[in-house]
Amino acid sequence: MDVPLLTHPTTERCAPELVPNALLAVDVVLFTIRKAPLQEALQVLLVHQRDPSGQDRWMLPGVLVRPTETFAEGARRALAEKAGLDAATWYLEQLATFGEPSRDSRGRVASIAHLALVRSDDLTLRPGVDVRATEWCPVRRIGERVLAFDHAEMIRAGVQRIRNKVRYSWVAFQLLNERFTLPELRAVYAAILDPNLARLSSGNFKKAMRPLFDSGVLQVVGRAATGRRGRPGDLYRFVGPVTGTRERELPW
Amino acid sequence: MDVPLLTHPTTERCAPELVPNALLAVDVVLFTIRKAPLQEALQVLLVHQRDPSGQDRWMLPGVLVRPTETFAEGARRALAEKAGLDAATWYLEQLATFGEPSRDSRGRVASIAHLALVRSDDLTLRPGVDVRATEWCPVRRIGERVLAFDHAEMIRAGVQRIRNKVRYSWVAFQLLNERFTLPELRAVYAAILDPNLARLSSGNFKKAMRPLFDSGVLQVVGRAATGRRGRPGDLYRFVGPVTGTRERELPW
DNA sequence: CCAAAAGTGTTCTCAATACACCCATGT
DNA sequence: ACATGGGTGTATTGAGAACACTTTTGG
């Protein structure tokens, strides 16, 4: 709630300047799809940094929120400062807030975890000043990493969120280039939901995307370059709103 | 993030006690189903209180988070202190965090909005010390109320959350008594999702609940009392976990 | 006896899957 | 030529909706 617990009706009437009781932070769970076996294609950005105990640990990129910036601005700044990424136009949404009283030894810290998605992986990671290293870690291998704070929990929440969201919304396109083929799109769904999905026939997959064609948000824009074996796929472009949702949710 | 932005490596090595930069609060969107026309059966708890500008306004029950309590504990305390409700066993989950830099004139306040559900409405509301009045407001009528802060937005988020969640999880039972009839259960779904759902035949509704009977989480425990017109329905009991989810999500 | 409400069973429809077939490319 | 992978069409199955029918209560 937002009303002072000051039971003293002293400085009533207008803005009595309350005393801050906590630290606000943002952490970002940034996912991308990278060229790897389907099982490990979905990857998350980690940074190697000193944690409060003085140990070097893997953690999510994050910063303390400035007094005048929004959470979203803070999240994008975290990607810029920690990994040299310009996330100005990337998909970003709030995930959940983690604030167990004991989560940080230095005081009460509440961290607003965010989920971010980036198209393709042709990015150059540039570790920030206080960052020793940056890396893409396959989500399936997160268990092998020891993460600082409750960041493992944040990543779990992020995976759960994107697994749900990809089934009823259009966020999958945020993980693809401007122009893409249906097999590439299928690979995104397979990497996020279920590798077995790759075995689904291409015809049935296209039929599942039928509503998108009918509503015109998926448009043919050419033919894929010829380089791999077999017939090259058609190229498509997604022209719908980022926040759009499907009428019927996918059955997988 | 959780690492100090203190670029000075002064007090490095262990817990340098950071300076709080914000106020943490929790607000609760408490829903219940009350005896009213289906359109207005879903209602939310509001309290009448003085806001920072000195005006009396309707708002959600909320409190500032204490240094040693969790967000959930704070949320339950808000219901206790503002409306005299013992929410110790009620369903409660985090919704989202609202923290626009300008949302409170008194400083940077981040409020972690929570969603709570309570079975039935045989509760006695007891306004807290700084509360002028408490009331259940039909969600459909929220537009008529002028709410403090961004609490209208919080309620929108709460409605959206429960509309989604009721379709793939078992939270609907949190809005019913221990023993209930299928028509009562149908009324809950109709009140939350779509009043037209009440026209769905009882047979089809039971078929939609088929998986719950098969898995044994819905058990017959008797026959409803005879008082209304028509045949009384069977009484059921829900014995599944609160956090359980459906395999297949409801088609409505 | 009739109307109203709860519960049962059957039919119809439509969408998801499986599968057979056609097309384009590299070897 | 043929294997590989993309794309199109058709048949089959299974779940949801509509509806007819039985049961139990109050008027």
Side-chain angles (χ1 to χ4, degrees), chain A residues 42-64:
Chain A
L42 181 65
Q43 307 197 359
V44 62
L45 180 67
L46 296 181
V47 301
H48 205 84
Q49 260 193 184
R50 181 150 297 186
D51 78 358
S53 70
Q55 300 241 325
D56 274 345
R57 279 253 165 76
W58 287 105
M59 55 181 78
L60 295 169
V63 294
L64 293 177

Side-chain angles (χ1 to χ4, degrees), chain A residues 17-207:
Chain A
E17 281 296 327
L18 296 180
V19 182
N21 61 1
L23 260 153
L24 277 189
V26 287
D27 288 296
V28 184
V29 182
L30 173 64
F31 287 126
T32 198
I33 302 284
R34 303 190 74 220
K35 288 162 195 65
L38 266 184
Q39 300 271 0
E40 303 185 355
L42 181 65
Q43 307 197 359
V44 62
L45 180 67
L46 296 181
V47 301
H48 205 84
Q49 260 193 184
R50 181 150 297 186
D51 78 358
S53 70
Q55 300 241 325
D56 274 345
R57 279 253 165 76
W58 287 105
M59 55 181 78
L60 295 169
V63 294
L64 293 177
V65 179
R66 290 178 178 160
T68 59
E69 80 184 343
T70 64
F71 299 150
E73 286 164 358
R76 294 187 207 274
R77 183 167 59 84
L79 292 175
E81 291 185 0
K82 301 298 177 180
L85 296 171
D86 178 14
T89 64
W90 297 357
Y91 180 84
L92 181 76
E93 69 170 36
Q94 194 186 115
L95 247 188
T97 298
F98 294 76
E100 285 296 306
S102 59
R103 75 184 286 271
D104 194 317
S105 53
R106 298 163 299 171
R108 186 68 186 262
V109 177
S111 177
I112 297 111
H114 282 70
L115 170 68
L117 303 178
V118 60
R119 321 167 102 98
S120 93
D121 60 351
D122 54 355
L123 303 161
T124 51
L125 299 178
R126 182 171 49 77
V129 282
D130 49 351
V131 175
R132 303 294 174 87
T134 59
E135 75 160 18
W136 291 108
C137 178
V139 167
R140 295 281 161 115
R141 300 238 168 137
I142 279 296
E144 306 169 9
R145 284 261 176 290
V146 177
L147 296 180
F149 305 104
D150 40 19
H151 289 190
E153 208 180 331
M154 289 184 184
I155 294 174
R156 268 197 300 277
V159 171
Q160 206 176 325
R161 174 74 61 93
I162 197 179
R163 286 222 173 108
N164 290 328
K165 202 138 192 171
V166 83
R167 294 181 58 228
Y168 66 86
S169 82
W170 297 340
V171 286
F173 301 108
Q174 301 304 313
L175 293 163
L176 290 168
N177 291 317
E178 193 65 28
R179 293 149 80 249
F180 54 87
T181 65
L182 281 190
E184 284 170 351
L185 180 60
R186 187 168 78 240
V188 169
Y189 280 95
I192 295 174
L193 293 174
D194 180 11
N196 293 25
L197 213 155
R199 300 180 322 177
L200 185 70
S201 84
S202 59
N204 288 339
F205 181 81
K206 182 164 191 181
K207 220 178 295 182

